[in-house]
Structure formats: C-alpha cells, structure tokens
Amino acid sequence: ETGVTQTPRHLVMGMTNKKSLKCEQHLGHNAMYWYKQSAKKPLELMFVYSLEERVENNSVPSRFSPECPNSSHLFLHLHTLQPEDSALYLCASSQSHPRGAENIQYFGAGTRLSVL
Amino acid sequence: AQKVTQAQTEISVVEKEDVTLDCVYETRDTTYYLFWYKQPPSGELVFLIRRNSFDEQNEISGRYSWNFQKSTSSFNFTITASQVVDSAVYFCALTNFGNEKLTFGTGTRLTIIP
C-alpha cells in the first residue's frame, strides 16, 4: 500500500460516455500527477498539480480534463474518448515544496481504461 | 533535453541467478536525481531508490544494489540471488533538481523462472 488510492481499477466506456477517474493520496503531499501508460511506450506525463495549481499540461487533448479540488484529491474527467486512449492511467503524488523537499513520486495502482 | 535509455526490453533468468538491469541517461543539468521503480503485475509503480548527482557511492539494500557512474552516465541495478517475486517491469527515471517532471525509460521486463 503506497498511500495513493485510485478508483475504479478497471473501466470500460463507449466513445460517447462521460466518466471520471479518482485519485486520493494519504501522504500529506502537495503535488499530484496524472500519467498515461500505453503498451510499448514510455510513461507519458499528462498533468501536474502543485499546491493545487496546474503547473503542467503536456499537450493533452481537451477530452481529458483534470480537476484538483484540494491537495489530497485529483480527478481526471473523460468525455468522447477514442479507442487509442485505452491505457493504464496512473496517479502519483509527491512533496515538491519547498525547493529541496523529498520530491519522490509515489504511485497508485492505476485505472485500466478500455474505450470501445 | 533529458533522456533515459533502458536498452534491455526483456530479460529472463533462472531463480537464484544474479541479474543486472542497465540504465543510461542524458542530461545537460549538473544537479539531478536518478530513480528506479518496480512495476509488478498489480500495476502500481513502487519506488526503490533515489540517487542525487553528487553522490556516486554504490548502494546496497538487501539483495538489491545500484552502481552509479557519472563518467559513463549510467545507473545500473543488480538483483542478487533473484526470486520469483522479483518478476516485474523495472523503470529508470531522471529529473533535475527542483523539477517535478520525471523522465522515464521504456522499462525492462524481468522474468524470474522458478
């Protein structure tokens, strides 16, 4: 148990559906991340929230919409996805501030998303 | 730009053998961190180690050891007396000091054969 919990663990959705992925961290961290892991590709950083402000948006399509209501929770809202969006979506958290803080990312178990 | 290369895509060894996973990195920064993570079949990435660029001492933790060599830009990971539970995908990663972004390698799938 890493202290980062993701729900659901598995999700199947149609291209016209709207769904949300949830991530909760119990580590007292101040930064949270969304990654996409596709087969045979490096982990792709999607979004970074630091002190509840979005500090990174890695050219992610607008059909992915993140939300960080507080430092412990992170959501990824999904709508009108494409089959190529099928992947493992991983959430992570770290203590990124102040400068020089530990800044080790701890990951959840991921949500396995299948888009039909 | 930063880059991490894990040239070994898949490795299989028989249980109790030693195995080394290679990691080569590129960065223009003089201050950076290197990491190893383990991803078992359950999916989560498990943090194993962080090493900063000023500390080239090798580290040993039980059956795990890490060899950091700045001269060759390598940060290799050795598992001694491998066990079936070591079967996983292992990722090497890099970030510069004060940056939240991790650059990952493509991972090495390690299979330990009983």
Side-chain angles (χ1 to χ4, degrees), chain B residues 91-107:
Chain B
F91 291 93
C92 182
L94 166 72
T95 189
N96 62 300
F97 187 73
N99 191 342
E100 294 97 351
K101 289 184 64 174
L102 275 174
T103 299
F104 282 90
T106 50

Side-chain angles (χ1 to χ4, degrees), chain A residues 24-71:
Chain A
E24 183 175 1
Q25 59 96 1
H26 308 275
L27 301 170
H29 289 163
N30 53 30
M32 297 187 77
Y33 311 76
W34 279 117
Y35 286 87
K36 177 183 179 182
Q37 186 178 28
S38 305
K40 299 184 180 179
K41 292 178 70 174
L43 274 85
E44 302 173 53
L45 178 64
M46 301 175 72
F47 301 103
V48 179
Y49 278 82
S50 182
L51 301 174
E52 300 168 37
E53 296 289 325
R54 191 192 308 180
V55 297
E56 185 80 26
N57 177 347
N58 245 10
S59 303
V60 180
S62 59
R63 57 186 184 269
F64 295 91
S65 176
E67 179 189 3
C68 186
N70 55 62
S71 60

Side-chain angles (χ1 to χ4, degrees), chain A residues 2 9 37 88 90 108-109 112, chain B residues 37-48 84-91 109-110:
Chain A
T2 64
R9 292 295 311 277
Q37 186 178 28
L88 180 68
L90 290 161
R112 176 72 62 187
Chain B
Y37 283 87
K38 173 183 179 180
Q39 187 177 37
S42 53
E44 78 278 15
L45 271 75
V46 178
F47 166 75
L48 296 179
V84 173
V85 293
D86 297 325
S87 295
V89 181
Y90 290 85
F91 291 93
R109 181 176 298 279
L110 176 64

